[in-house]
């Protein structure tokens, strides 16, 4: 009887141990791990005569690998691949805004999309080559740089509720100032940028700069690169928006997240030619409960300007 009991016990321990060994050998998949995803274009400033190469590099951090990469241009799927890098060559494209992005899914479940915090859809303005543009007919290119105007007495700053002084620093009401020789999220050093930090609130914070522009030229276009200071790696993202004050429903915007890349923000102002306008540069936080530290949403404008 004792021998029978020992045999039964030994068999039970063997089965149990075998289950544990098998369980320990099962692969562990980290379905919710965020993959590395980066999309780039070449040339960086394409014209209506250029073909554009879109390149996506993507890989999972742990667990399942990349299952599918989808490149989207102007809201249309143009390339689907299961391999990284994924390359698509398209164009030439007509003059105007071109949007492009990428959706990446893993081999398991879940989907990682470019409208998520780890990457954003991008926009770039396709222009005619210089030789085709009518301003080249004996006329020099003209630019209004907005950074020097940020401290002008006619430029107003506010957080949506209260007016702000330019050159404020670490103010819970929000602040705007210049930063010199700053490292941005793309790890490059910029000589002078415009820093705009939204106010800290328990609802989305905001900061607004209002620039007065007189007698706006024909074919005027606002252009800037936008992103974050290098130390703002804990930001949950912001929305950069530009519009004319009397017509806020007509605007250009891009949602930016700390992804190691600066985004292009372009706004066609031709409808306001010959008019005096108030051009609004606005930043919204995308987090409802804003973390109350001054390094979270250090949003910057690189060379904001009006060209014609």
């Amino acid at each position: 009887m004792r021998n029978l009991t020992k045999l039964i016990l030994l068999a039970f321990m063997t089965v149990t141990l075998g289950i544990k060994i098998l369980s320990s050998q099962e692969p562990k998949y980290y379905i919710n791990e965020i993959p590395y995803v980066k999309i780039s274009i070449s040339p960086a400033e394409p014209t209506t005569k250029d073909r554009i190469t879109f390149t996506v590099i993507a890989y999972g951090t742990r667990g399942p690998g990349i299952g599918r990469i989808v490149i989207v241009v102007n809201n249309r799927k143009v390339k689907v691949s299961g391999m990284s890098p994924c390359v698509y060559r398209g164009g030439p494209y007509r003059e105007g805004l071109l949007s492009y992005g990428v959706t990446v899914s893993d081999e398991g479940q879940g989907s990682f999309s470019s409208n998520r915090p780890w990457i954003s859809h991008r926009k770039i303005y396709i222009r005619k080559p210089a030789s085709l543009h009518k301003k080249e007919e004996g006329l020099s290119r003209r630019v209004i740089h907005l950074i020097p105007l940020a401290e002008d007495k006619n430029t107003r700053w506010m957080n949506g509720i209260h007016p702000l002084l330019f050159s404020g620093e670490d103010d819970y009401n929000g602040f705007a100032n210049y930063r010199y020789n700053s490292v941005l999220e793309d790890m490059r050093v910029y000589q002078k940028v415009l820093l705009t930090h939204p106010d800290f609130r328990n609802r989305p914070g905001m900061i607004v700069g209002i620039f007065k522009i007189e007698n706006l030229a024909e074919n005027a276009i606002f252009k800037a690169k936008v992103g974050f200071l290098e130390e703002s790696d804990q930001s949950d993202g912001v929305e950069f928006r530009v519009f004319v004050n009397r017509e806020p429903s007509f605007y250009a915007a891009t949602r930016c997240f700390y992804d190691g890349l600066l985004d292009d923000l372009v706004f066609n102002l031709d409808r306001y030619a010959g008019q005096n306008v108030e051009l609004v540069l606005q930043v919204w936080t995308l987090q409802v409960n804003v973390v109350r530290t001054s390094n979270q949403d250090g949003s910057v404008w690189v060379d904001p300007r009006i060209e014609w």
Side-chain angles (χ1 to χ4, degrees), residues 92-129:
Y93 298 95
R94 64 185 181 183
E95 185 179 14
L97 279 177
L98 178 77
S99 65
Y100 60 97
V102 58
T103 298
V104 177
S105 60
D106 61 23
E107 290 178 343
Q109 36 182 324
S111 177
F112 303 104
S113 172
S114 55
N115 61 6
R116 299 290 185 85
W118 41 89
I119 196 170
S120 62
H121 285 285
R122 304 187 181 282
K123 292 183 179 180
I124 192 167
Y125 196 86
I126 308 294
R127 303 199 70 166
K128 294 179 181 178

Side-chain angles (χ1 to χ4, degrees), residues 143-148 150 192-194 211 222-226 265 279 281 300-306:
V143 180
I144 298 175
H145 293 283
L146 297 186
I147 282 186
K192 186 178 182 180
V193 298
L194 176 61
F211 296 73
F222 170 88
K223 298 178 71 174
K225 285 189 177 293
V226 293
L265 182 55
L279 188 68
L281 307 190
V300 294
W301 305 74
V302 179
D303 193 20
R305 61 199 184 276
I306 299 172

Side-chain angles (χ1 to χ4, degrees), residues 3 16 38 68-69 90 92 94-95 122 157 187 232 306:
N3 290 336
T16 304
K38 179 179 179 180
R68 190 173 76 150
I69 299 172
R94 64 185 181 183
E95 185 179 14
R122 304 187 181 282
W157 291 94
M187 298 304 163
S232 297
I306 299 172

Side-chain angles (χ1 to χ4, degrees), residues 277-293:
V277 300
E278 292 184 325
L279 188 68
V280 179
L281 307 190
Q282 183 183 79
V283 178
W284 282 92
T285 61
L286 297 181
Q287 185 182 15
V288 175
N289 296 310
V290 180
V291 179
R292 289 178 174 268
T293 54

Side-chain angles (χ1 to χ4, degrees), residues 154-264:
N154 292 319
T155 300
R156 308 194 309 274
W157 291 94
M158 59 188 304
N159 62 13
I161 300 176
H162 305 293
L164 302 173
L165 293 176
F166 186 76
S167 293
E169 185 71 34
D170 293 347
D171 189 336
Y172 276 75
N173 289 317
F175 55 89
N177 56 39
Y178 298 136
R179 285 294 177 91
Y180 299 91
N181 299 317
S182 293
V183 180
L184 303 190
E185 61 175 302
D186 61 354
M187 298 304 163
R188 294 177 58 189
V189 178
Y190 292 82
Q191 184 177 5
K192 186 178 182 180
V193 298
L194 176 61
L195 172 64
T196 51
H197 199 301
D199 60 331
F200 305 100
R201 294 192 245 165
N202 289 326
R203 59 185 185 277
M206 180 175 66
I207 187 167
V208 173
I210 304 173
F211 296 73
K212 290 187 175 181
I213 308 295
E214 295 183 352
N215 192 23
L216 192 65
E218 292 184 0
N219 304 308
I221 296 176
F222 170 88
K223 298 178 71 174
K225 285 189 177 293
V226 293
F228 295 97
L229 294 172
E230 184 269 337
E231 63 263 31
S232 297
D233 58 342
Q234 297 302 309
S235 173
D236 282 331
V238 300
E239 180 180 281
F240 290 84
R241 183 177 294 200
V242 58
F243 57 91
V244 169
N245 203 15
R246 64 172 177 266
E247 195 176 12
S249 61
F250 180 72
Y251 63 88
T254 184
R255 291 192 168 194
C256 293
F257 303 94
Y258 193 100
D259 56 9
L261 297 170
L262 300 184
D263 293 273
D264 291 295

Side-chain angles (χ1 to χ4, degrees), residues 2-74:
R2 286 183 178 179
N3 290 336
L4 180 60
T5 303
K6 288 181 179 180
L7 287 172
I8 294 173
L9 181 59
L10 181 60
F12 175 77
M13 292 177 64
T14 302
V15 172
T16 304
L17 182 60
I19 291 173
K20 289 184 177 179
I21 292 173
L22 289 174
S23 297
S24 66
Q25 293 175 345
E26 291 176 355
K28 294 181 179 180
Y29 294 112
Y30 297 85
I31 301 301
N32 292 323
E33 285 287 340
I34 297 174
Y36 173 87
V37 182
K38 179 179 179 180
I39 184 168
S40 60
I41 63 170
S42 179
E45 296 187 357
T47 71
T48 54
K49 281 195 169 184
D50 295 320
R51 286 179 60 79
I52 302 177
T53 301
F54 302 84
T55 303
V56 175
I57 299 174
Y59 54 83
T61 53
R62 295 186 293 179
I66 296 301
R68 190 173 76 150
I69 299 172
V70 180
I71 298 178
V72 179
V73 178
N74 284 339

